[in-house]
Structure formats: C-alpha cells, structure tokens
Amino acid sequence: MKVSVFAPASIGNVSVGFDVLGLAVTPVDGTLLGDVVTVEESQIDTLDVVGEFADKLPKEKEQNIVWHCLLLFNAALKAQAVEVKTVALSLDKKMPVGSGLGSSACSVVAALVALNEFYQKPLSSEHLLKLMGEMEANISGSLHYDNVAPCFLGGLQLMVPDEQVITRDIPLFSDCYYVMAYPGITVNTKAAREILPSQYSREQLIAFGQNLATFIDASYRQDKAMAFAMIKDVVAEPYRKSLLPGFEQAKQAVSKLGSLAAGISGSGPTMFSVYETLEQAETAATWLKQNYLQSDQGFVHVCKADEVGARIID
Ligand SMILES: Nc1ncnc2c1ncn2[C@@H]1O[C@H](COP(=O)(O)OP(=O)(O)O)[C@@H](O)[C@H]1O
Ligand SMILES: N[C@@H](CCOP(=O)(O)O)C(=O)O
C-alpha cells in the first residue's frame, strides 16, 4: 500500500489569539501550499526529501522532524501492540522553513496522518493531535497547537484548556480572502518566542482577553465588521515586528487598499491580510509582491480558508 497526504499552511495566532487560535488557508489558484508525505512498505526505514525547500532542511534524516514522527508513531503502535512495519517515507517540502506559515506543522501533520492511514487508522484523531502537539513542543520549545490543529482539522480552531478536547471549530468567514505574503527571509519560531516578555501588564491581559472573546462572539454571530476589528495583537506583534522589514509600512498600505485586518502570520515573517473581495485581494497581492518581498524565494498567495485540513492526495 502507498499513501500520500497533503497538509495545508496555517496562520498561527491570527493576531488576536496568541497560541490559542489558528486558521488553515489554501490558495485560490489551486497551488498546494503545504507539505506532502508519502508512505509505502519497504525493506528498511528510509526518508527521502524532495521539493523546492528540501535544501533548507538538515541533510541527516535523524535531524528531520518527519523521521522523529516515524519514531514517535512506531512507539505509539508498540504501546497498542500493533505490529510495526518498515517503511519508505518521502517528504515533498513545498513549504519554506521559518516562514510563519506553519511549515514544521505541515511536515508533522502530513507525516503522522500518512502513517496512520498506511496502518488503517490504529490511532484516534485525538491521539494523533496529541502526538502532533508533542512534536511541535520539541521543535519550538513550548507546547502550542495553533498550527497543527488547523493544519490537521482545517478551518478556524480555538485551543481549549481540556486535554480530552484540545481544540474546537469556530465559525469562520468563508467568503473572505486571505493574502499570505512570505518575504523570503527566515524567522525561527523558537527564537521569536524567546524574545517575548515573560510577564504582561494587567492592561495587556484585559485587552487580550476582551479582544479574543469579542472576536469569538462576533464569529458566532457572523458579525464580520466586529470580528475583523478585533484582529489586534497585544502579545507578540509589538515585540516581533522589528524582525519583519517593512511590516508596518505594508500593514498601512494594505489598509488603504481595503484590508479588513492584517497581522503577523504565526511567528513571522509572513504577513496575512484579509479582504472582502477577490479584486481587493489581488490588488493588495500585487502591491505586496512589489514592496514586501525581501528575496527571490518570497511569494504572495491569495487564499481562502482551508476547511478540510490534512487530506489524502493521489
Ligand atoms: N520537515 C521539516 N520541516 C520544517 N522544519 C524542519 C523539518 N525538519 C527539521 N526542521 C527544523 O525545524 C525547525 C523549524 O523551524 P520553525 O521556525 O518552527 O519553522 P516554521 O516556523 O516554518 O514552522 C528548523 O530548525 C528546521 O530546520
Ligand atoms: N503561536 C506560535 C505560532 C508559530 O507559528 P509558525 O508558523 O511561525 O511556526 C508563535 O507565535 O510562536
């Protein structure tokens, strides 16, 4: 049996929900913005890495998080007395590393879902999600599900403080367009987490809670104006924007072009911005391609919410 799984890009935090909100996105032109992992039976365990960003990854398979996913998955199988097989893994690394697009989450989710499908789903979705969180914590130094949950399940996901639930689907605005502008430079998630303050003021805590609660309420009422007015980041953006050349100027520019909201995607450097119409999104995308990209590896995609998440592809 051979199975290939695609796992989509995600916007961690969505500005208003640091570490507790994440949205999966996919380009409207059909581009596969995410990673693909293929699993098939083999005489020995192997990992082959191909794709546009393969050269940005460690050469040794033992340094690749997809290999660590195999080890973690096999341990989970043994704990359930399921016979472990030797497999050939192939990672098509379509996602830039340190991008703020949930690149590591794409590899983790695609690998664990592909392995689970290969074995005819011995692990529950809840068990898989916990393994994904464990992998993300190993990579970024602290546990956060806001990339792996939307990447795995699709849509807009709110992390809840219940280990048996972990995440909840939140109603999203499926008619909006999300422009993802990756400037082509790297911001390491772990480093971007380490620069954040260890403490916040009472004023910041109240603002964070009120913004997030109001966003969730407006999402359930499908009150688009209120929801996107709440897309404000009091936790990370004030401290991370200095890592993103031209971010402030780009945010002001897309606002004049009609964006409903804009912010740092995940830990950056990707900037996301939201629009009512495809025409506005495409106009802003053109501006961002001309003014926000820092290298020839940068790109801009006009996206919609990805409501499916990780999926088998042929
Ligand atoms: N398959 C992989 N995909 C992404 N990163 C990987 C992978 N394997 C190992 N890594 C390493 O994990 C770290 C991921 O960095 P991170 O900043 O979390 O990326 P992103 O923000 O894009 O998720 C990098 O040091 C990268 O070299
Ligand atoms: N909540 C995390 C999100 C990291 O997203 P990534 O796409 O940069 O890995 C954080 O802000 O640290």
Side-chain angles (χ1 to χ4, degrees):
M1 176 184 179
K2 180 176 181 179
V3 60
S4 293
V5 169
F6 166 76
S10 57
I11 303 172
N13 308 327
V14 198
S15 287
V16 67
F18 182 79
D19 273 6
V20 300
L21 203 62
L23 174 69
V25 292
T26 199
V28 296
D29 66 5
T31 300
L32 284 180
L33 187 62
D35 286 346
V36 177
V37 171
T38 300
V39 181
E40 57 188 317
E41 196 138 9
S42 168
Q43 292 300 314
I44 60 170
D45 285 337
T46 60
L47 171 61
D48 180 41
V49 184
V50 298
E52 184 178 352
F53 295 97
D55 64 333
K56 303 297 184 189
L57 294 179
K59 296 289 179 279
E60 309 74 26
K61 66 177 183 299
E62 294 79 7
Q63 300 296 312
N64 195 303
I65 52 180
V66 168
W67 187 257
H68 289 274
C69 286
L70 175 63
L71 303 180
L72 194 61
F73 189 84
N74 286 350
L77 290 183
K78 287 172 184 167
Q80 293 188 170
V82 174
E83 181 198 357
V84 174
K85 300 171 183 171
T86 47
V87 296
L89 294 168
S90 174
L91 165 65
D92 183 354
K93 192 63 192 175
K94 298 169 167 296
M95 291 288 280
V97 176
S99 57
L101 289 162
S103 163
S104 49
C106 288
S107 281
V108 167
V109 170
L112 289 172
V113 172
L115 284 163
N116 206 41
E117 292 290 336
F118 175 78
Y119 281 91
Q120 278 90 44
K121 299 187 178 181
L123 304 188
S124 69
S125 291
E126 291 75 17
H127 192 165
L128 278 180
L129 190 51
K130 284 183 179 173
L131 296 181
M132 291 166 186
E134 188 177 333
M135 284 301 307
E136 278 282 75
N138 292 342
I139 295 160
S140 65
S142 46
L143 179 58
H144 62 94
Y145 287 93
D146 54 325
N147 286 121
V148 289
C151 180
F152 176 33
L153 302 170
L156 179 63
Q157 297 291 328
L158 171 69
M159 308 316 123
V160 300
D162 179 332
E163 284 198 4
Q164 303 315 312
V165 177
I166 300 179
T167 189
R168 289 280 191 212
D169 258 312
I170 299 299
L172 52 77
F173 297 92
S174 54
D175 59 339
C176 287
Y177 294 87
Y178 298 81
V179 175
M180 306 302 292
Y182 166 61
I185 59 174
T186 297
V187 172
N188 178 270
T189 302
K190 188 170 185 184
R193 293 176 74 83
E194 287 166 354
I195 65 170
L196 298 180
S198 56
Q199 292 184 337
Y200 290 82
S201 68
R202 182 186 305 171
E203 181 188 5
Q204 288 172 309
L205 290 175
I206 292 168
F208 175 76
Q210 186 174 40
N211 292 345
L212 181 56
T214 306
F215 173 80
I216 298 298
D217 168 69
S219 296
Y220 273 97
R221 291 185 295 104
Q222 287 290 280
D223 180 345
K224 192 180 291 181
M226 178 60 81
F228 288 110
M230 290 302 109
I231 300 289
K232 294 177 280 192
D233 184 344
V234 297
V235 174
E237 186 176 310
Y239 311 98
R240 285 176 171 173
K241 63 186 176 184
S242 59
L243 304 174
L244 282 55
F247 173 78
E248 283 285 7
Q249 295 86 334
K251 202 174 170 182
Q252 290 165 15
V254 298
S255 176
K256 290 174 184 162
L257 295 172
S259 69
L260 298 171
I264 301 176
S265 177
S267 62
T270 293
M271 183 181 101
F272 76 89
S273 47
V274 194
Y275 305 84
E276 289 258 27
T277 70
L278 178 59
E279 183 183 13
Q280 288 174 323
E282 288 175 338
T283 301
T286 299
W287 188 95
L288 288 162
K289 282 173 188 168
Q290 293 166 352
N291 298 281
Y292 189 56
L293 304 193
Q294 302 287 320
S295 82
D296 58 8
Q297 294 225 309
F299 55 67
V300 180
H301 283 292
V302 175
C303 299
K304 303 272 294 211
D306 183 312
E307 302 192 55
V308 175
R311 48 206 182 249
I312 293 173
I313 59 171
D314 296 326

